[in-house]
Amino acid sequence: MELHNVWFVLIAVLWIGYFFLEGFDFGIGVLTKLLARGRSEKRVLINTIGPVWDGNEVWLLTAGGATFAAFPEWYATLFSGFYLPLLIILVCLIVRGVAFEYRAKRPEENWQRNWEEAIFWTSLIPAVLWGVAFGNIVRGVKIDQDMEYVGTFGDLLNPYAILGGLVTLSLFTFHGAVFAALKTVGDIRARARALALKLGLGSAVLGLGFMIWTQVDKGDGGSLVAMVVAVVALVGAIGAIKVGREGWSFALSGITIAAAVAMLFLTLFPNVMPSSLNPEWSLTVTNASSSPYTLKIMTWCAAIATPLVLLYQSWTYWVFRKRIGTQHIADAAH
């Protein structure tokens, strides 16, 4: 396999890792308003991701950096054409990080409530916009012969992309509800399981519609296999949460997200950003890639660094594996 194909696969894996991990992270943020009853339960939910949320975002930084180094033309066209939505996502991620860190710095109720509101919205908005962005990448956008995006922001708000945004929002919230059930005890755990069941059914309806649309319009044999895996895993996740097997449900909901993202990348290949104006103007793994020497150096660096990153992140999840509940939350808010 040529190195530009290898790096297309590696970037797909990085996005899969990001959506798997940041997916339940965003879901927990949304659930602070949908699931939590009172301040203590909001603190329980926030504490379930407290030790890991910043590590989850490393996958996004790595995916962006890998795209910049391996496929500079893809990076340039993507970030210039999708400038506004990606800027909104970036601002949300910055505010979200500040909200996690500053929420408990002062005891006033208004101060903490405002930061909690920020956590909700800066989790919900990126969860939608990532789906919109990837929906447009798969569908194709207005790219001219100079590999430049010539469309408008309004062109990105098409029915297919909006459906993609609703799918990522519902899947991430379902993933987060399963994670909440896995990481909590008491009444909040029972309600998380009940809510996860409802969210799973809603995700199944939206996700199936989006994947069928994708398969009919752009799919092939490989994407069909990924679609079947995603559907089977989602059904399994819903069944597992129904019988109280949160661990199995979380693993299967993660497989659902992984298979759905894999389906999108399989649909794309060998393109990385199709042109809706002329297929010959599309960005591909060949015309958008860096030089073979650059890709060779990157491959050696990734082979050394990636196992280390996986080891320390796995260790973090192992250390903070225990469940928590309102009984573990101190009375003092400050």
Side-chain angles (χ1 to χ4, degrees), residues 163-333:
L163 178 59
L166 295 176
V167 170
T168 50
L169 175 62
S170 61
L171 271 179
F172 290 171
T173 309
F174 169 64
H175 197 38
V178 174
F179 183 76
L182 179 65
K183 288 288 292 178
T184 59
V185 294
D187 182 56
I188 190 172
R189 177 188 177 190
R191 284 187 282 108
R193 284 168 51 184
L195 181 58
L197 186 59
K198 297 176 183 178
L199 290 169
L201 295 173
S203 299
V205 173
L206 292 171
L208 186 61
F210 180 76
M211 288 188 288
I212 290 175
W213 191 345
T214 303
Q215 182 63 30
V216 170
D217 191 36
K218 303 278 188 178
D220 56 14
S223 62
L224 179 61
V225 171
M227 173 183 167
V228 171
V229 172
V231 171
V232 172
L234 182 55
V235 171
I238 295 170
I241 197 65
K242 186 176 181 179
V243 297
R245 300 298 297 269
E246 295 101 340
W248 280 104
S249 183
F250 180 72
L252 288 168
S253 66
I255 291 173
T256 301
I257 292 173
V261 177
M263 179 188 181
L264 296 182
F265 277 92
L266 287 167
T267 302
L268 269 178
F269 187 81
N271 294 323
V272 294
M273 208 165 177
S275 172
S276 60
L277 299 178
N278 188 334
E280 295 182 358
W281 297 343
S282 298
L283 276 67
T284 68
V285 292
T286 304
N287 65 20
S289 68
S290 294
S291 67
Y293 182 74
T294 299
L295 296 177
K296 184 177 180 180
I297 297 298
M298 289 176 60
T299 303
W300 280 107
C301 293
I304 296 170
T306 303
L308 298 176
V309 173
L310 292 174
L311 281 173
Y312 80 69
Q313 194 161 25
S314 299
W315 177 78
T316 302
Y317 277 91
W318 175 255
V319 170
F320 295 100
R321 66 189 181 278
K322 293 185 178 180
R323 297 176 183 267
I324 62 173
T326 53
Q327 66 271 29
H328 300 115
I329 301 298
D331 291 335

Side-chain angles (χ1 to χ4, degrees), residues 145-165:
Q145 65 270 30
D146 297 320
M147 298 185 180
E148 294 183 1
Y149 177 73
V150 293
T152 64
F153 178 71
D155 294 330
L156 303 179
L157 301 178
N158 54 80
Y160 177 79
I162 292 173
L163 178 59

Side-chain angles (χ1 to χ4, degrees), residues 87-118:
L87 177 63
I88 293 172
I89 290 174
L90 178 61
V91 171
C92 284
L93 293 179
I94 293 172
V95 173
R96 189 168 180 265
V98 173
F100 282 130
E101 297 296 334
Y102 276 74
R103 178 194 165 278
K105 295 297 183 183
R106 290 173 57 178
E108 292 86 355
E109 185 174 338
N110 285 340
W111 171 273
Q112 296 189 4
R113 184 184 296 110
N114 289 338
W115 286 121
E116 289 164 359
E117 194 75 16

Side-chain angles (χ1 to χ4, degrees), residues 44-109:
V44 168
L45 290 177
I46 292 172
N47 286 355
T48 62
I49 59 173
V52 298
W53 68 266
D54 49 353
N56 295 344
E57 293 185 356
V58 170
W59 289 79
L60 173 61
L61 299 176
T62 309
T67 304
F68 172 77
F71 299 100
E73 293 290 351
W74 184 13
Y75 182 93
T77 304
L78 176 64
F79 279 79
S80 60
F82 292 17
Y83 181 82
L84 182 56
L86 292 178
L87 177 63
I88 293 172
I89 290 174
L90 178 61
V91 171
C92 284
L93 293 179
I94 293 172
V95 173
R96 189 168 180 265
V98 173
F100 282 130
E101 297 296 334
Y102 276 74
R103 178 194 165 278
K105 295 297 183 183
R106 290 173 57 178
E108 292 86 355
E109 185 174 338

